[in-house]
Amino acid sequence: MPSVTLVTEKFLNLARTVARAKGVSTLPIVALPANAEFMTEEEIRVAADKAFQEVVAKLKGSAPETPIPA
Amino acid sequence: MSDMKKWQSAIVYTDDSLDEANNLAYERGWTDGLPIVPPTEARVSQMLRSADRNPDGVVATLPPKAGAATVEKIAINAVMAGCLPTYLPVLIAGVEAMAEPQLNLHGMQATTNPVGPMTIINGPVRKDLGMNSGRSVMGPGNRANATIGRAMRLIMLNIGGGIPEEVDKASQGYPGKYVFCIAENEEESVFEPLHVERGFKKEDSTVTIVGAQGTTNVVTACLIDIKDMLKVIANAMNYMGSNNVLLGAGEPLLLLTPGHTELLRKAGFSKQDTKKLLWDLLGFPLSDYPPSMRRERMEKATDDKGIIRPCRRAEDIMIVSAGGPEPYHATFVPTFGDTWAVTKRIDWKG
C-alpha cells in the first residue's frame, strides 16, 4: 500500500537513519515544520498546503526519494 | 607484528602518529571531541582477551542506526575511551542494558532533551576495578569511572548512531553526556544497595543504566531533622521544567551520601520509608502550570487533589548512596521521564 511518512523537520535525519536501518532507504518522507505552537494559523495553513502537495506527489510516485548514502 | 586476527571491522591506516590518528578519528566523527586512544589491532586484541566471548558475537543492536554491537566493536570503543581490558565485561553488560526497550535508548539518542545514560555499578567488581564510590564520585580522577562512562557514550555514537546535530538533537546537552559513571558506596551506606533492591544478590556485580538529564545539588548541611532534610530535597525535585513532572512518570533518582543514610536510619527510616516520606512531600498543583504547557498526559498523572508529582508511585523514586561521608550535599538526578532504568548482571569472575 502506498504510504508517506510525516516527520518533524528536526528529525528528518533520524527518520532517514531509521529507514535505512530497517531496510527501506527509499521510504517516502515529508518533513513538517517544527514548533508549530509558535506559528500563526496562516503560517500553519501555508505549511499544511505545501506538505499536502508533497504527500500527494510522493504517493503518486512522481517525487521519488533520494536514498541515504551509506 | 600484531595479532593477525581476521577483523569484522574495517582497518583504517594512518601515519604512525598520535596526532594523525586523532585528526582522522575526529574528522570522521568517531570521537566525543576529546583525544582518543587509537584502537590499533594490538590494543583491541588485548582488550578482547579479557572477555571470554566470541568477538564476532552480537551483544545487542543499538538504536537508532540498529548498529550491531559486537564484542569486537565494543572493545574498539573501549580502547578509544582509554579503558583497561578488565573493564570490558562491564561495558558488555552496559550495552545489554542500553538495548532493553524500557530504557528507550532510541528516544534518548534523538531527543531535544539533554538526557544521557548514567551508569551505576554495584557489587564486587567495584573494588576489583578500583572504582570510586566515595568523595568526588561524580568528579574527575578515577580511571574506571571516567573511561567506562566515556566508552558508553562512544558506543552510543559509533554503534548506535547518535551523532550530535544530525541525529542527537539535544538543544544544549549537559556535561554528563561525556561521562556519567559512578559506583554505589555499599560499604558505608546503611541502605540496601540498588542491585539488591532490584532483585540481585549482594555478591552479584551489576550495571544499571539510567536515562539521566542532569544533576542538581541540594545543600542539606545543618538539616538534622529528617523531615526538614527531605522537605528541602523534595523542593529540588518539584521543578516545573522537569520531564519527570511533565510526563508525570519515570524514576527520578536521588544520590544520598552515607551520612544521609545514617541520619535516616537513626530516625528509624529505611530506604522504602524514605521514599514514602518524600512522596508525601512531593508535588504541586497542576494549576500552577501555564495552560500552554499542560498536556493530557499530565492530567492523567494528577491525583484527585489536582497535585502532580515527578513520578507515579513512591517506589519509583530511586535512591542510591554515593559520595563522601558527610550529609552536606545530596544530588537530585531528574530523568528523561519516558525511560525506565535497566539492571544487568556483569559476567564477573573477580
Side-chain angles (χ1 to χ4, degrees):
Chain A
M1 179 181 293
S3 64
V4 173
T5 299
L6 305 178
V7 302
T8 308
E9 61 191 2
K10 277 191 173 47
F11 297 106
L12 183 57
N13 275 338
L14 173 65
R16 288 178 172 158
T17 297
V18 175
R20 187 176 62 207
K22 300 292 185 185
V24 284
S25 61
T26 54
L27 182 76
I29 298 174
V30 168
L32 302 176
N35 303 322
E37 65 267 33
F38 300 120
M39 296 168 68
T40 64
E41 188 171 323
E42 182 56 29
E43 287 170 336
I44 290 174
R45 287 189 184 281
V46 168
D49 284 343
K50 177 174 176 290
F52 180 77
Q53 302 300 327
E54 284 186 62
V55 167
V56 171
K58 290 194 177 187
L59 284 172
K60 286 180 174 178
S62 54
E65 290 301 311
T66 304
I68 310 149
Chain B
M1 193 66 171
S2 59
D3 188 346
M4 294 306 290
K5 172 191 180 303
K6 181 169 170 51
W7 300 101
Q8 271 190 350
S9 306
I11 299 178
V12 177
Y13 294 92
T14 71
D15 293 339
D16 188 12
S17 151
L18 184 60
D19 287 349
E20 283 301 312
N22 263 290
N23 287 339
L24 182 140
Y26 181 69
E27 285 160 10
R28 294 203 181 182
W30 294 340
T31 81
D32 51 10
L34 294 165
I36 52 114
V37 176
T40 60
E41 290 183 84
R43 290 195 183 105
V44 179
S45 294
Q46 186 183 25
M47 179 67 69
L48 285 168
R49 279 194 280 274
S50 69
D52 186 22
R53 299 280 292 257
N54 173 8
D56 299 339
V58 177
V59 173
T61 55
L62 296 179
K65 200 170 80 171
T70 61
V71 177
E72 176 186 296
K73 289 197 183 297
I74 295 171
I76 290 169
N77 283 278
V79 169
M80 292 168 68
C83 291
L84 294 180
T86 44
Y87 305 169
L88 186 59
V90 176
L91 294 174
I92 290 172
V95 167
E96 290 173 353
M98 282 207 292
E100 288 290 339
Q102 71 187 58
L103 184 73
N104 191 12
L105 184 65
H106 183 115
M108 287 164 56
Q109 289 266 58
T111 181
T112 55
N113 189 278
V115 61
M118 175 188 182
T119 304
I120 303 171
I121 307 296
N122 283 94
V125 70
R126 297 165 304 127
K127 295 296 178 189
D128 293 343
L129 297 185
M131 296 193 76
N132 183 17
S133 62
R135 197 176 297 282
S136 196
V137 65
M138 290 185 285
N142 182 280
R143 177 157 58 181
N145 291 39
T147 60
I148 289 171
R150 189 185 181 204
M152 296 295 281
R153 169 53 55 183
L154 293 179
I155 287 166
M156 287 173 69
L157 170 68
N158 293 320
I159 303 177
I163 302 167
E165 181 60 38
E166 190 175 313
V167 169
D168 179 352
K169 292 298 187 183
S171 295
Q172 297 174 324
Y174 87 106
K177 291 186 76 160
Y178 281 95
V179 172
F180 198 174
C181 174
I182 68 167
E184 181 161 18
N185 195 336
E186 298 176 31
E187 288 71 21
E188 295 180 29
S189 169
V190 297
F191 274 0
E192 184 178 62
L194 178 68
H195 67 316
V196 173
E197 189 184 1
R198 291 170 75 86
F200 292 83
K201 298 179 207 161
K202 191 168 169 58
E203 58 268 25
D204 286 332
S205 289
T206 65
V207 57
T208 301
I209 305 294
V210 176
Q213 65 160 54
T215 58
T216 296
N217 178 65
V218 186
V219 176
T220 54
C222 305
L223 292 169
I224 308 299
D225 182 271
I226 295 308
K227 290 188 179 172
D228 287 343
M229 183 176 81
L230 294 182
K231 179 182 173 183
V232 172
I233 291 174
N235 175 268
M237 296 172 74
N238 266 346
Y239 72 104
M240 276 186 170
S242 155
N243 246 39
N244 287 122
V245 180
L246 289 166
L247 293 178
E251 298 163 305
L253 169 64
L254 190 56
L255 298 181
L256 298 178
T257 68
H260 291 120
T261 69
E262 181 58 28
L263 282 175
L264 287 157
R265 184 194 66 80
K266 282 182 180 169
F269 285 82
S270 66
K271 184 189 265 195
Q272 303 310 322
D273 294 330
T274 304
K275 292 184 184 187
K276 286 176 189 162
L277 184 49
L278 257 178
W279 171 259
D280 290 339
L281 293 166
L282 283 170
F284 55 91
L286 180 63
S287 57
D288 282 359
Y289 267 101
S292 59
M293 211 169 170
R294 291 183 220 155
R295 298 286 184 268
E296 185 182 332
R297 56 175 174 250
M298 296 167 75
E299 306 279 351
K300 289 179 182 173
T302 304
D303 68 15
D304 54 9
K305 296 184 177 62
I307 301 297
I308 191 163
R309 292 180 173 82
C311 52
R312 298 288 175 106
R313 311 172 306 165
E315 305 89 274
D316 292 339
I317 299 169
M318 293 177 67
I319 294 178
V320 171
S321 184
E326 58 277 353
Y328 295 170
H329 299 271
T331 298
F332 169 50
V333 182
T335 73
F336 188 36
D338 190 14
T339 179
W340 302 91
V342 178
T343 303
K344 292 287 185 183
R345 200 175 70 81
I346 300 168
D347 184 14
W348 187 252
K349 298 172 179 59

